[in-house]
Amino acid sequence: MSVLPLVFTSGWASGINAYAVVLLLGLFGATGLTDEVPEALQRTDVLIAAGVLFLIEAVADKVPYVDNVWDSVHTVIRPVAGAVVAALLAGESGSLPELAAGAVGGTTALMSHLVKAGTRMAVNTSPEPFSNIVISTGEDLAVAGVITFAIFHPVAAAVIAAVLLALGIWLVVFLASRIRRFRRRRAQRREERRLAAAGGGPPVDRSVGGGR
């Protein structure tokens, strides 16, 4: 129970940028800022791999439509990473708390990943690339800030992560409804322009009494 807030927070952050979570936790553990980080995350090879992948994601996540492909590939990777990190934080290999922590971390990571992917699909409906850069940078800063805060104030950080997750879910639902309405109106305008170009308009009803 004592590690559950950090498990939840790391799961939320893993769904957005799993490599940043591994890199930050590993660095915090390696520098002695916390004793909560297991040695598996502090290994040099793990830190190097996480750093390289973080840099790749930092670029791919800011390019329109490339970010959608990247998110699709990470639909499995991020939840698995969230579950693994959570299980390592819980410790006690093979124990029930470890399995429960893995389930919490993986589920939370999946939810935040779906929010991230859905938001990015909505953003990509705009023609300019700057919104992608702004949102991606904001996500990176949020992950770094919340994970750092969680090391010193895990309960408060978990509350922040829960609020951000709830807001993200609401935002995805809101954007999805707006996009559906926009697409319906656009399809309707295209049909109206097509009929106007054809010089037609709606077909005339020539049945008996139709013209009266």
Side-chain angles (χ1 to χ4, degrees):
M1 293 297 295
S2 62
V3 80
L4 185 59
L6 184 56
V7 163
F8 179 85
T9 304
S10 66
W12 168 81
S14 294
I16 299 173
N17 194 326
Y19 306 123
V21 173
V22 173
L23 181 61
L24 286 171
L25 290 178
L27 289 175
F28 290 147
T31 54
L33 288 177
T34 178
D35 296 328
E36 298 288 343
V37 179
E39 292 184 3
L41 296 178
Q42 303 179 35
R43 291 170 42 180
T44 303
D45 56 340
V46 172
L47 292 176
I48 292 175
V52 171
L53 290 170
F54 169 74
L55 292 176
I56 295 174
E57 175 155 333
V59 176
D61 198 49
K62 294 174 176 59
V63 181
Y65 301 108
V66 173
D67 57 352
N68 293 150
V69 176
W70 186 264
D71 286 337
S72 298
V73 173
H74 284 73
T75 300
V76 175
I77 296 175
R78 286 171 182 156
V80 170
V84 170
V85 169
L88 289 173
L89 290 172
E92 300 181 32
S93 179
S95 65
L96 182 59
E98 182 186 35
L99 296 176
V104 171
T107 302
T108 308
L110 176 61
M111 293 175 63
S112 62
H113 164 75
L114 293 176
V115 168
K116 172 187 172 72
T119 304
R120 198 55 59 83
M121 290 179 66
V123 169
N124 281 337
T125 59
S126 63
E128 41 76 31
F130 302 107
S131 53
N132 296 73
I133 297 174
V134 171
I135 290 178
S136 178
T137 303
E139 290 171 347
D140 293 340
L141 293 175
V143 167
V146 173
I147 288 294
T148 302
F149 189 59
I151 295 299
F152 304 100
H153 305 284
V155 175
V159 172
I160 294 173
V163 171
L164 291 175
L165 180 60
L167 289 175
I169 294 172
W170 173 83
L171 180 62
V172 169
V173 173
F174 173 76
L175 290 176
S177 63
R178 293 292 297 270
I179 290 172
R180 283 196 297 267
R181 287 199 295 268
F182 169 75
R183 287 178 174 173
R184 284 198 297 266
R185 289 196 297 267
R186 185 173 62 178
Q188 183 179 3
R189 287 195 296 268
R190 285 178 176 175
E191 181 64 15
E192 291 173 351
R193 286 197 297 267
R194 186 187 68 83
L195 293 174
V204 179
D205 183 1
R206 299 186 180 279
S207 60
V208 176
R212 297 177 183 177

